[in-house]
Amino acid sequence: MTENRTTALWKPIRRILLTLPVLWVVVSVVFLLIHLVPGDPIVQMLGEGATASDIDALRHSYGLDAPLSQQYAHYLHGVLHADLGQSLRLHDSVVHLVLQRYPYTLTLTAAALLIGIALSIPAGIASALHRSRWQDRTLGVVSLVGLSFPNFALGPILILIFSIQFGWLPVSGAGSGDAISFLLHLILPAVTLGLSLAAILTRMVRTAMLEELNQDYIRTARAKGLTQNAVVYRHALRNALIPVLTVIGLQFGSLLAGAIVTETIFSWPGIGRLTLSAISNRDYALVQGCILAVGLTYVVVNLLTDIAYTVANPRMRAE
């Protein structure tokens, strides 16, 4: 009993330890990639008419004249101490700027994820239960249409219909500060991100449910006289969630990446818009901070997805 408990405690610890090398790789790649971006941020800050002495002095003040290895060591030290430097353009702490925008992006991504899950699981189950019937064909066509519309096309369409044509929802921004206004401004960008995810997950849920419904344990459960809801939701769905959870974890990163485009379309004040602004201004430190925040979030979500496997399917705890 004690050995089993120790093993159960060690597994999540082992998963966390395995993410440490991944975090180091993410930090290193973010540092190296940003230095491959063409252009000189110091020249852009001072303008083409700046003298060589002014450029050298400002470059020295930001440590950009140091060898790359020394800049890397300084960057790692700063990451470990939650110090990502100062924004070249906004003259503020990168950590402060990222923390200001991060909740907006995380809220948008979580809302899109909830919309995708809420739409896809019932649709996928209905499609599997009515295989090759009109319900299945209709949901298949709808999901195909959802996959065919990228965010940059779907967003303007939703704005034209629900904001300009009917005037039901606001076009851009995050509201005036109160909760109702914030939620109203959140709907369109969240739906834009969530519909494409729902299309992917619907097909995944359908495939997983069809596989599970043909298993022997499902036939045994039905032979015992269990109701259709018990067979579908208590038995088949629980096992079908394993591959679906994998896709959800992977798609979370896609949602974060897609949020950059969606935030730009709807002027949502998240990390996506901040990243684009930082890239256009060659703001190295701020770009590093934004990309690092997205990368670390992706790693953490995949870790949580891995742990969620054991919650969805207790048999995996013994593996």
Side-chain angles (χ1 to χ4, degrees):
M1 181 71 176
T2 303
E3 183 178 355
N4 292 336
R5 184 176 300 176
T6 303
T7 303
L9 290 174
W10 166 246
K11 286 181 179 179
I13 296 175
R14 184 181 62 183
R15 291 188 180 100
I16 294 173
L17 292 176
L18 289 174
T19 61
L20 295 180
V22 178
L23 294 176
W24 173 75
V25 170
V26 170
V27 171
S28 301
V29 169
V30 167
F31 173 82
L32 293 174
L33 284 180
I34 199 61
H35 283 77
L36 298 176
V37 176
D40 190 333
I42 302 301
V43 173
Q44 187 166 356
M45 284 180 62
L46 297 178
E48 296 294 338
T51 63
S53 59
D54 291 337
I55 293 174
D56 291 339
L58 188 58
R59 182 177 286 114
H60 177 75
S61 66
Y62 282 102
L64 297 177
D65 59 342
L68 193 62
S69 58
Q70 185 175 337
Q71 292 186 49
Y72 177 64
H74 182 265
Y75 181 68
L76 282 181
H77 181 270
V79 170
L80 293 175
H81 291 81
D83 181 12
L84 301 179
Q86 293 287 118
S87 168
L88 300 178
R89 180 66 60 171
L90 300 178
H91 307 292
D92 194 2
S93 166
V94 171
V95 173
H96 180 252
L97 291 171
V98 169
L99 290 179
Q100 277 185 329
R101 303 294 188 95
Y102 184 78
Y104 289 97
T105 297
L106 197 61
T107 301
L108 174 59
T109 305
L113 190 64
L114 289 176
I115 290 173
I117 293 173
L119 293 176
S120 63
I121 290 182
I125 293 174
S127 183
L129 292 177
H130 301 89
R131 182 179 183 180
S132 300
R133 301 178 187 173
W134 67 269
Q135 296 96 328
D136 184 23
R137 296 190 183 95
T138 302
L139 289 171
V141 171
V142 171
S143 63
L144 183 61
V145 172
L147 288 172
S148 302
F149 268 92
N151 294 340
F152 61 82
L154 181 59
I157 291 174
L158 294 179
I159 290 175
L160 287 173
I161 295 175
F162 295 101
S163 297
I164 298 177
Q165 182 69 29
F166 296 106
W168 292 344
L169 296 170
V171 176
S172 61
S176 58
D178 61 286
I180 300 298
S181 177
F182 179 80
L183 290 175
L184 289 176
H185 283 78
L186 178 63
I187 291 175
L188 284 184
V191 170
T192 301
L193 279 177
L195 288 182
S196 58
L197 176 63
I200 297 173
L201 292 181
T202 297
R203 301 175 77 90
M204 282 296 305
V205 172
R206 177 187 182 276
T207 302
M209 284 295 296
L210 285 175
E211 183 178 349
E212 294 299 327
L213 289 173
N214 290 324
Q215 297 295 324
D216 291 336
Y217 75 91
I218 294 296
R219 285 189 284 269
T220 302
R222 284 173 172 161
K224 290 181 178 179
L226 294 180
T227 63
Q228 176 76 342
N229 288 338
V231 171
V232 172
Y233 294 102
R234 285 176 50 192
H235 296 280
L237 179 60
R238 187 166 188 177
N239 290 311
L241 282 178
I242 300 302
V244 176
L245 283 174
T246 304
V247 175
I248 290 175
L250 294 174
Q251 287 299 316
F252 192 90
S254 300
L255 288 177
L256 288 174
I260 294 178
V261 177
T262 304
E263 287 178 4
T264 303
I265 294 173
F266 293 96
S267 298
W268 186 258
I271 287 183
R273 288 186 65 205
L274 186 65
T275 303
L276 288 179
S277 174
I279 291 174
S280 64
N281 293 323
R282 302 293 191 274
D283 196 336
Y284 284 169
L286 187 54
V287 174
Q288 286 175 332
C290 294
I291 297 177
L292 184 61
V294 173
L296 294 181
T297 303
Y298 191 39
V299 172
V300 172
V301 167
N302 277 274
L303 173 64
L304 295 177
T305 302
D306 193 22
I307 296 175
Y309 291 159
T310 59
V311 177
N313 191 347
R315 292 180 301 176
M316 297 189 68
R317 298 172 190 169
E319 298 179 0

